Amino acid sequence: MRVKYRKGAPEHLQANTHIVVENPAEFKGRWSERFGNNQPIHIEVGCGKGAFAVGMAALHPEINYIAIDMQLSVLSYALDRALEADLPNIQMILVNGSALTEYFAEGEVAQVYLNFSDPWPKTRHEKRRLTYKDFLTTYENILRSEGEVHFKTDNRGLFEYSLVSLTNYGMKLKQVWLDLHADEDFAPLNVMTEYEKKFSEKGQVIYRLEAKFLPKMK
């Protein structure tokens, strides 16, 4: 979903380059230097206004998070959250999720989050879905061995498509939720996105899955 252009967004990002990385390609294979530690790196592709990435960074100081979005105005709102939280383990980049191999080296990332991605429901737009096989190949390239993809959506069609796509690719489904918010045990671990909060308040079911890539055959 497109967000209305936010006046002053470019200047806002440029004034906070300690969080928003100006030239992310320069850190390919060197993100540990950017964070100043060797903690695992988790990325969110399509971070929206930052509630999830910043919330996860607060909940897990032992993990480094990189929030990714291709919409400048959207990322500027995510930056607001990051500045307010003032956490050392959150960074942001303004790039297209289809080009992740330009910014991350092979095996550099431990986990990928896909939250409430655009469902692209028309068949001719299948290749734009973030769980399409070409995207999965990209994630597999940058993830460490047996790296994981965690996916949440309110769209049943996209969820069913993703289950098939990941399975056909050869990924192992670790866990599947057909009604995430009915799982009281997972509730303390669930950091909600802006969309998730809005949809769940309307009574919509939230779907979630965790899947991992299998070791490559040598």
Side-chain angles (χ1 to χ4, degrees), residues 109-129:
V109 176
Q111 198 156 289
V112 172
Y113 298 98
L114 307 173
N115 294 317
F116 297 88
S117 311
D118 193 324
W120 294 106
K122 295 181 180 179
T123 302
R124 69 174 185 273
H125 292 151
E126 179 187 8
K127 293 182 179 181
R128 299 184 183 184
R129 299 171 193 163

Side-chain angles (χ1 to χ4, degrees), residues 12-143:
H12 187 35
L13 268 60
Q14 291 167 9
N16 291 284
T17 54
H18 63 295
I19 296 176
V20 182
V21 185
E22 287 186 288
N23 300 300
E26 294 181 1
F27 289 96
K28 180 176 179 177
R30 299 173 44 237
W31 283 101
S32 59
E33 296 178 22
R34 174 76 183 191
F35 283 101
N37 59 58
N38 290 312
Q39 295 180 169
I41 295 172
H42 291 192
I43 68 173
E44 183 185 13
V45 182
C47 68
K49 294 183 179 179
F52 180 82
V54 176
M56 289 293 284
L59 193 62
H60 297 284
E62 76 283 4
I63 296 172
N64 294 328
Y65 291 87
I66 301 177
I68 300 169
D69 210 282
M70 61 184 293
Q71 296 189 58
L72 189 151
S73 293
V74 169
L75 200 66
S76 75
Y77 288 113
L79 174 59
D80 289 343
R81 287 183 183 273
L83 289 169
E84 182 178 359
D86 191 24
L87 301 168
N89 60 327
I90 182 75
Q91 293 284 285
M92 298 182 173
I93 58 177
L94 182 69
V95 300
N96 192 313
S98 64
L100 295 177
T101 53
E102 295 181 18
Y103 312 107
F104 299 99
E106 184 176 351
E108 190 170 19
V109 176
Q111 198 156 289
V112 172
Y113 298 98
L114 307 173
N115 294 317
F116 297 88
S117 311
D118 193 324
W120 294 106
K122 295 181 180 179
T123 302
R124 69 174 185 273
H125 292 151
E126 179 187 8
K127 293 182 179 181
R128 299 184 183 184
R129 299 171 193 163
L130 294 186
T131 51
Y132 179 66
K133 61 182 180 180
D134 288 358
F135 280 100
L136 298 181
T137 298
T138 297
Y139 308 147
E140 185 178 26
N141 185 288
I142 65 173
L143 281 167

Side-chain angles (χ1 to χ4, degrees), residues 130-190:
L130 294 186
T131 51
Y132 179 66
K133 61 182 180 180
D134 288 358
F135 280 100
L136 298 181
T137 298
T138 297
Y139 308 147
E140 185 178 26
N141 185 288
I142 65 173
L143 281 167
R144 65 188 183 187
S145 179
E146 299 187 68
E148 297 187 7
V149 173
H150 291 191
F151 174 71
K152 281 198 285 191
T153 183
D154 67 307
N155 188 291
R156 186 178 181 89
L158 179 61
F159 191 70
E160 292 175 347
Y161 169 86
S162 300
L163 288 172
V164 173
S165 181
L166 272 61
T167 301
N168 287 345
Y169 193 85
M171 297 182 70
K172 178 181 179 181
L173 295 173
K174 291 181 58 184
Q175 196 162 356
V176 173
W177 289 261
L178 298 179
D179 187 354
L180 177 62
H181 290 192
D183 185 346
E184 295 181 358
D185 293 334
F186 189 76
L189 306 174
N190 186 43

